[in-house]
Amino acid sequence: MQRVTKAAIVLLLALFAFGLGAGTAAADPTPSSPSGAGVGPSSGKNLPKDFPAELKQYVAGTEEFKAGPWFKGGCKDLGGDVGQYIQGSMAQESKLLFWSLSDADREKISKSMAGQNGAWVGKSLFDTFPAGDTSFAPPSGFCADDLKRWASKTTTVWGFDWAEKPDPSSLVLMKKQPNADKVPDERWNRTTACSKANSKDGGQLYCAHSFFLNCEQANQGTDLSRCVEWNVRIGKLFGGTWNWVDKNKSVADRIKETAEQVVTSSPGFQATKAYVDGWVSVYKAGAAIKKFVDNPSNFIDDWANSFKETAVNLTNGILKNLAGVGEFRDLFSPWFVRIYAISEALGLLVMAIMVMLVGKSISGGHIPRRDIIPILFRDMPGSVLAMMIVPVVVQWMLDLSNGLTDVLLKLVQTTTPDLLNNLIEMWYSMDQESLLGGALMAIVCFGMVIIGDILLLVGMLMKVVGVPLLTVAIAIGLGMYVHPRWRRKSLAPMATVTGLIFSTPLLFLGLAIVFNIMNSAALRSSTGTGEIQSLTQICLVAFCMIIMGIAPWTLLKWFPILPTASDAQGPSMSPMGAAGGYGVGRMAGDAMTSARNQATGPSVMPTRGDNGSTGAPGPRGQSGPPGANTGSGLPTYGVDKKSGMLTPQTSAPTGGGARGSAQRSFGSAFNQGAASRIPGQFVKAGAAAAAVGVPMAAAAAKAGARTTAQAAEGGVPRPD
Amino acid sequence: MKDYTNIGGRRGGSKSSAAAETSVWKQYRLLIIAAVVIVVFVAGTMFALNRADSSEASTTEAAAANLGAPHGPNKMVNKVIPAGYSHDKSGAATAATNFVQALSNTYQGRIKADDLRAAVLATNPSEALNKALGTAAGRPQTKDVFSQVPAAAAVQSYTENEAKIAIWAAGVTQSRPTPGEVTVQVPWSTTTITVTWQDDDWKVSDYKFEAGPEPGQVSSVNGGSPLAGELVAGYYSFYVN
């Protein structure tokens, strides 16, 4: 009954795969986002007090934003109408800018401007361009999914970020727009346009509106036309900006210097992120990262400052750009197919060897005789069949995983901008008074955050490397399936690759959970921090990042299809191991011993001097008289004249832990049985034994290494 | 001490052999079921594809509009997709050019992507082709006009079964970004289409797209450019809407 159930499940999975495969074959690799995607926190309670109601629809995460016109209409299945959103929010740009400043800065500006205009809180800070003039605004009808294709996919509210600069053909057309040829060259590049040097005299407007697309990323003629249309409109915007700045210099002069400095240094105005992030900067606005220690007096304080800065910047950068990292697309490319064919051939070779071993085991009585038929006629063809469909199955799993990831990415995107703002706010307020443990704890805690960030990034890249490696390992491992003893080992890579592929959606699911946890932790800190509370919060954040980062690494444990030490047990194995891998194993064992000896050597050198008189080094291989051990339990060592390696002088255990059973059989095989049985066994086993013996030697080396941890003194004795 | 009880195992009674046989069958069941599933999967795929081809044939016959062009198209699938080309270089070039235009019409919402796929795509379209079709799919009909006007088609390679054609086209675009404003741009692009002779027609199997070259850049063309090859002459146009 169980087998029928299993078969039914297999059948269902196959039908499901068929349906899914037929569907995904026709589908665009980048699925369209559901409507309402990329929104910030669901409640508006973090908006500043007195935030005007008519501006709420331009701030991502509010109910008004989610109900906005950009998610209805033609772009509703394609991620939302970004052009329409920018049109609307640009008309309110100066107000949104004002509200994106921190409370303190808003106060400052209100005070400084009150004298000139009377009560003006909520009115525009200064005139911007184009404000409400839609003839200079970007066109509507441009959906987020298309912009993603022409720019770059990242974790912002809208799911993309603009290109660094427009492609050369577009640039030619852009410069032909009215007055656009007068715009200096460095403004046509986002990085240079946003640099400090260029941010005066209306220059910040170029930076804030550098909505460039790279039209070389279009994939068909009409796509190219639309992309160029957008770029040309931005060219018109730049031309109009130049014209406006030229004519309105006096307006710019009217703004007091302090106000302009505050505005241009605010994160709300930094580059073009304000728009792609849906102006979430109004939620929590803060100035630059506050130093941890204001007047660093020693290097620990300096390090605390830099660790904090690095942790904040790194977290910012990595969390924002998690999307689009680590996808392996080459499973059916010619180079991989070639390599996979070779690995299939290797798998068949392994299968041939395994069948020989099966024969030996059967004749030795370890496998029941009646199993030979199922092994030959069921497992062998089954393995070959399975080897052929492995890439198809892996590709199906990859497609499934990518689809799941895209869905889960939306979950993450909803919290990332809000989280980052909260995190920055939490860390902003953290200084040596508020963090328990001071500068040293800052180094440790922010260090952990940095480590967590890097692990997270590298963990996501693991899939790119891991999937092809494991696919090849599966093919080779399937060769081992015919041998009952190795069956479990051969299935290990399959489990690993499944785990690895589905670790990405799980990672994003975990990230969504973790981000929410971090978010609520960060939020709580803004309401007042006790000393231990801030420490706990930062450790929680670091812990969350590290957990997410190391999750894929635990899978590495299962990668090797070579046998481990546990497979070295049992008398039936050791003759083969001894016969085939004797020479290699000896050298490996010796290397491990000498490595261990050298590692512990210096610490026990002094005792050698103590033994000088009584413990004369015996001839190589023989046990010298037990030297005058100081009773500390440490072995004594002398230099082996022949090989120059340190070897133990005594062979009696000095009270160290018991040897592992693997070591025992290994040692016994070497010592007693192997010495006499080697010639005959070696001749009989031949090449097959060598193939098995090499991994056995590796296992033996591992077993040897394990016993070093138990402080057992015995080395590998050398029979002559 | 060797165990000799197994020697008489075979004649050890029908009970044990029957038991052995049942367990062997049970052991093989999984393999047989897996093999059956795979056979069903493969057969099903082939059957589904055959059905798609034959249904397309009936659609095209029903919607035939005999245009009488010497190399095709000789039918309009669903009244909007040109199909049915002659088995020669000009037929291949016409098929490739019409596909570029049909793709543009799909993007504008005038053709459904599934219809286009069924009518003119080969059985194993490449990933780039799928991606392009996916981008064009699912869009609402727009008032903006995008016309791919082919300026030159060059047959880069031709055999009885496969041909590769590079098409240099102007993308005439008229759009109305805001009320009262009309903008026109004409970005040029080169699309390289591979067509395969399948089911008595040229079907598109591969696709490559590149922006440019702009007209100002083509007066002297180097050997590697698609425009340096043999261009197809004898070009006429007609409208379908």
Side-chain angles (χ1 to χ4, degrees):
Chain A
M1 201 50 213
Q2 256 191 339
R3 284 198 178 265
V4 174
T5 320
K6 279 188 204 165
I9 292 174
V10 166
L11 191 66
L12 276 173
L13 278 178
L15 287 172
F16 179 61
F18 173 56
L20 199 66
T24 54
D28 183 19
T30 56
S32 61
S33 1
S35 70
V39 291
S42 51
S43 65
K45 71 170 178 332
N46 295 328
L47 288 172
K49 255 166 44 153
D50 304 328
F51 189 75
E54 73 269 14
L55 294 183
K56 279 193 180 157
Q57 60 170 328
Y58 301 117
V59 180
T62 56
E63 291 305 315
E64 293 87 341
F65 176 80
K66 286 188 240 185
W70 26 86
F71 292 124
K72 310 181 169 100
C75 284
K76 70 175 190 288
D77 293 326
L78 293 163
D81 192 340
V82 180
Q84 191 182 22
Y85 170 76
I86 294 183
Q87 266 180 15
S89 53
M90 216 188 241
Q92 307 291 334
E93 190 177 48
S94 57
K95 285 188 195 165
L96 287 166
L97 266 177
F98 175 74
W99 285 102
S100 69
L101 297 171
S102 68
D103 294 337
D105 290 336
R106 284 204 311 275
E107 282 261 335
K108 219 191 290 183
I109 293 181
S110 300
K111 283 208 183 87
S112 73
M113 298 295 268
Q116 295 188 357
N117 293 326
W120 71 288
V121 171
K123 292 204 191 130
S124 42
L125 177 62
F126 55 84
D127 296 324
T128 68
F129 179 82
D133 189 349
T134 51
S135 66
F136 290 98
S140 58
F142 279 77
C143 316
D145 282 353
D146 292 329
L147 292 167
K148 261 184 225 172
R149 189 170 54 255
W150 300 321
S152 64
K153 210 165 130 174
T154 57
T155 318
T156 59
V157 167
W158 285 103
F160 71 97
D161 197 9
W162 308 103
E164 173 83 5
K165 55 186 171 165
D167 57 291
S169 319
S170 296
L171 190 57
V172 166
L173 293 171
M174 289 161 88
K175 285 196 174 166
K176 291 206 173 110
Q177 298 299 304
N179 294 315
D181 51 338
K182 303 197 183 88
V183 176
D185 280 337
E186 63 268 10
R187 315 276 177 163
W188 295 103
N189 176 314
R190 217 169 81 179
T191 317
T192 49
C194 296
S195 66
K196 264 207 162 86
N198 287 319
S199 64
K200 299 196 199 57
D201 303 331
Q204 62 270 31
L205 283 172
Y206 295 107
C207 168
H209 299 157
S210 50
F211 305 138
F212 301 135
L213 297 175
N214 180 2
C215 293
E216 282 167 8
Q217 287 167 205
N219 67 19
Q220 52 196 274
T222 316
D223 212 38
L224 176 64
S225 296
R226 304 199 71 238
C227 176
V228 169
E229 186 188 333
W230 175 280
N231 268 349
V232 165
R233 290 290 290 184
I234 303 301
K236 187 172 181 209
L237 171 62
F238 271 40
T241 307
W242 183 91
N243 192 38
W244 181 83
V245 169
D246 193 48
K247 291 193 164 40
N248 288 294
K249 279 217 168 79
S250 57
V251 170
D253 290 341
R254 265 195 269 130
I255 302 169
K256 280 199 173 164
E257 234 184 46
T258 51
E260 180 164 329
Q261 272 175 9
V262 168
V263 166
T264 53
S265 65
S266 76
F269 210 30
Q270 289 300 319
T272 49
K273 286 286 171 73
Y275 286 97
V276 284
D277 268 332
W279 285 98
V280 289
S281 46
V282 300
Y283 281 105
K284 293 271 192 231
I289 301 168
K290 186 177 166 195
K291 274 191 175 173
F292 192 77
V293 179
D294 273 331
N295 293 312
S297 55
N298 54 29
F299 74 94
I300 292 185
D301 292 339
D302 270 331
W303 282 11
N305 282 342
S306 6
F307 267 64
K308 177 177 174 184
E309 199 184 314
T310 310
V312 173
N313 287 330
L314 201 60
T315 308
N316 221 1
I318 285 184
L319 287 186
K320 272 193 183 165
N321 290 304
L322 275 180
V325 169
E327 292 189 25
F328 182 70
R329 291 189 187 285
D330 285 342
L331 210 54
F332 290 103
S333 65
W335 65 268
F336 185 75
V337 169
R338 222 174 10 247
I339 292 176
Y340 187 73
I342 294 173
S343 68
E344 273 185 329
L346 284 173
L348 290 175
L349 177 66
V350 169
M351 189 186 300
I353 293 170
M354 284 294 150
V355 169
M356 283 199 274
L357 289 177
V358 162
K360 183 176 192 339
S361 293
I362 286 181
S363 69
H366 303 297
I367 299 178
R369 190 161 287 161
R370 62 180 156 84
D371 277 350
I372 187 73
I373 301 228
I375 286 177
L376 284 182
F377 293 104
R378 180 197 63 183
D379 296 331
M380 265 184 74
S383 310
V384 174
L385 204 62
M387 268 189 226
M388 291 196 283
I389 65 167
V390 161
V392 175
V393 174
V394 170
Q395 183 63 46
W396 169 66
M397 287 201 287
L398 276 174
D399 288 336
L400 191 59
S401 157
N402 283 338
L404 282 173
T405 306
D406 274 320
V407 169
L408 291 168
L409 192 60
K410 301 293 178 289
L411 257 183
V412 170
Q413 275 176 347
T414 62
T415 41
T416 304
D418 186 45
L419 166 72
L420 282 169
N421 283 311
N422 288 337
L423 273 181
I424 289 181
E425 188 62 27
M426 172 176 89
W427 285 338
Y428 166 77
S429 60
M430 213 172 271
D431 60 13
Q432 60 177 354
E433 280 92 44
S434 63
L435 184 65
L436 189 66
L440 211 52
M441 273 320 277
I443 294 178
V444 170
C445 294
F446 284 117
M448 287 202 300
V449 172
I450 293 174
I451 290 174
D453 285 333
I454 295 173
L455 282 176
L456 192 60
L457 186 65
V458 174
M460 302 208 62
L461 291 173
M462 262 192 67
K463 206 167 79 162
V464 181
V465 174
V467 166
L469 285 177
L470 283 167
T471 310
V472 162
I474 293 175
I476 298 177
L478 275 171
M480 286 197 251
Y481 186 79
V482 292
H483 197 301
R485 196 185 294 272
W486 298 90
R487 200 157 285 172
R488 211 191 49 172
K489 176 81 47 188
S490 83
L491 293 175
M494 278 189 245
T496 311
V497 79
T498 312
L500 189 62
I501 289 176
F502 287 105
S503 69
T504 311
L506 281 177
L507 178 74
F508 278 99
L509 187 62
L511 274 178
I513 296 173
V514 156
F515 278 17
N516 277 299
I517 294 175
M518 291 206 281
N519 206 12
S520 56
L523 270 178
R524 270 199 295 277
S525 77
S526 68
T527 60
T529 61
E531 282 189 340
I532 191 84
Q533 190 176 9
S534 57
L535 178 65
T536 319
Q537 274 154 3
I538 194 176
C539 287
L540 176 66
V541 169
F543 182 65
C544 291
M545 305 281 282
I546 291 178
I547 283 283
M548 286 290 110
I550 65 176
W553 293 88
T554 58
L555 294 169
L556 268 184
K557 168 163 89 107
W558 294 106
F559 171 61
I561 56 172
L562 301 176
T564 59
S566 56
D567 296 306
Q569 290 173 10
S572 64
M573 280 302 194
S574 58
M576 295 304 267
Y582 183 65
V584 180
R586 293 277 310 117
M587 288 198 296
D590 282 346
M592 293 307 301
T593 312
S594 67
R596 174 198 51 179
N597 293 347
Q598 277 162 1
T600 57
S603 62
V604 300
M605 282 306 268
T607 64
R608 185 165 165 269
D610 294 338
N611 292 342
S613 53
T614 53
R620 187 172 67 86
Q622 289 179 7
S623 323
N629 269 340
T630 53
S632 64
L634 291 170
T636 60
Y637 295 92
V639 177
D640 180 277
K641 289 201 177 33
K642 183 148 185 196
S643 59
M645 296 190 293
L646 289 174
T647 50
Q649 300 300 305
T650 65
S651 62
T654 53
R659 301 178 191 214
S661 61
Q663 172 79 333
R664 203 170 284 127
S665 68
F666 172 76
S668 64
F670 274 23
N671 288 336
Q672 286 100 34
S676 55
R677 278 194 276 163
I678 286 170
Q681 290 286 9
F682 201 86
V683 165
K684 274 188 212 164
V692 178
V694 168
M696 287 309 304
K702 262 197 195 168
R706 184 182 289 169
T707 58
T708 62
Q710 300 167 10
E713 151 291 326
V716 179
R718 308 166 188 247
D720 280 326
Chain B
M1 180 65 184
K2 212 164 186 271
D3 182 41
Y4 288 101
T5 55
N6 271 339
I7 289 185
R10 253 182 248 143
R11 84 176 147 77
S14 55
K15 213 199 309 180
S16 64
S17 63
E21 275 169 22
T22 331
S23 68
V24 164
W25 162 241
K26 275 199 186 133
Q27 285 169 343
Y28 280 113
R29 197 186 284 182
L30 200 57
L31 173 68
I32 289 171
I33 288 176
V36 165
V37 165
I38 290 177
V39 166
V40 164
F41 175 71
V42 170
T45 315
M46 301 195 60
F47 178 68
L49 287 169
N50 273 334
R51 236 169 28 107
D53 289 343
S54 60
S55 77
E56 175 234 321
S58 58
T59 314
T60 56
E61 275 160 30
N66 196 341
L67 304 170
H71 300 287
N74 62 22
K75 53 187 172 233
M76 297 296 288
V77 178
N78 294 354
K79 296 190 186 154
V80 285
I81 306 174
Y85 301 93
S86 59
H87 195 176
D88 52 26
K89 270 193 196 172
S90 301
T94 315
T97 310
N98 284 164
F99 175 74
V100 170
Q101 295 169 320
L103 195 61
S104 173
N105 279 305
T106 310
Y107 200 114
Q108 295 172 64
R110 307 171 115 256
I111 300 178
K112 287 209 196 53
D114 289 333
D115 293 341
L116 185 64
R117 176 180 290 280
V120 296
L121 250 61
T123 44
N124 280 324
S126 69
E127 195 197 319
L129 184 54
N130 277 329
K131 203 160 172 215
L133 197 57
T135 304
R139 294 186 181 266
Q141 202 151 358
T142 151
K143 285 202 291 286
D144 297 340
V145 173
F146 305 89
S147 294
Q148 291 294 314
V149 182
V155 177
Q156 293 183 316
S157 71
Y158 181 83
T159 67
E160 286 294 299
N161 286 326
E162 202 177 76
K164 199 158 156 199
I165 300 109
I167 297 137
W168 184 48
V172 177
T173 307
Q174 184 200 55
S175 52
R176 293 155 205 279
T178 55
E181 258 190 291
V182 179
T183 61
V184 172
Q185 36 248 351
V186 187
W188 290 73
S189 58
T190 310
T191 313
T192 309
I193 302 275
T194 307
V195 289
T196 320
W197 185 257
Q198 249 178 35
D199 301 323
D200 250 6
D201 197 2
W202 287 111
K203 306 279 187 190
V204 183
S205 55
D206 196 8
Y207 174 96
K208 187 169 100 125
F209 176 82
E210 226 173 42
E214 295 288 314
Q217 298 167 337
V218 299
S219 46
S220 114
V221 178
N222 66 24
S225 151
L227 292 176
E230 171 200 331
L231 295 184
V232 185
Y235 176 70
Y236 286 85
S237 299
F238 58 93
Y239 285 95
V240 172
N241 50 29

